[in-house]
């Protein structure tokens, strides 16, 4: 996307099994989530923060059936707005599976 961005990702899923088992295969790997975010942020350019956040949310839900919902925040530090004193611009998107 050309400029620095910060992405926060929250995933909702049942953690009772991995909490008891302490096994990575019983949950979703942070590395896999990172790769889903990276694919969007370093892939086809998006004009809008909203578009990037939506693509991340949909990609995570499509790739990880254990995840029931996601919340994605995309922050753009020091947006290039003439005369602005805004520290960051951000959007937040929440998506859940349709069951």
């Amino acid at each position: 996307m050309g400029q620095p961005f910060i992405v926060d990702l929250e995933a909702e899923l049942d953690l009772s099994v991995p909490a008891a088992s302490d096994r990575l295969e019983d949950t979703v790997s942070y590395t896999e989530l990172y790769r889903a975010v990276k694919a969007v942020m370093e892939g086809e350019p998006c004009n809008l923060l909203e578009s990037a956040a939506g693509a991340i949310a949909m990609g995570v839900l499509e790739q990880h059936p254990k995840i029931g919902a996601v919340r994605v925040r995309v922050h753009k530090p020091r947006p290039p707005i003439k005369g602005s004193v805004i520290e960051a611009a951000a959007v937040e998107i929440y998506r859940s599976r349709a069951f």
Side-chain angles (χ1 to χ4, degrees), residues 57-72:
M58 295 310 298
V60 167
L61 289 173
E62 288 172 2
Q63 296 169 25
H64 301 283
K66 291 180 182 178
I67 295 176
V70 292
R71 183 177 312 277
V72 180

Side-chain angles (χ1 to χ4, degrees), residues 3-97:
Q3 299 176 3
F5 292 89
I6 298 168
V7 177
D8 297 321
L9 174 65
E10 295 177 25
E12 294 181 10
L13 64 151
D14 181 1
L15 298 175
S16 59
V17 172
S21 73
D22 196 31
R23 294 170 7 129
L24 180 59
E25 52 272 5
D26 291 334
T27 192
V28 176
S29 166
Y30 297 151
T31 301
E32 291 177 14
L33 295 176
Y34 162 75
R35 288 181 182 140
V37 171
K38 182 179 178 183
V40 172
M41 298 307 291
E42 293 183 357
E44 189 69 31
C46 298
N47 292 318
L48 301 174
L49 297 178
E50 294 86 344
S51 180
I56 291 168
M58 295 310 298
V60 167
L61 289 173
E62 288 172 2
Q63 296 169 25
H64 301 283
K66 291 180 182 178
I67 295 176
V70 292
R71 183 177 312 277
V72 180
R73 283 180 297 281
V74 180
H75 306 258
K76 184 178 201 175
R78 296 171 303 284
I81 302 170
K82 185 176 180 176
S84 174
V85 294
I86 296 173
E87 185 173 312
V91 298
E92 179 174 297
I93 289 181
Y94 180 86
R95 296 288 184 267
S96 62
R97 289 190 188 283

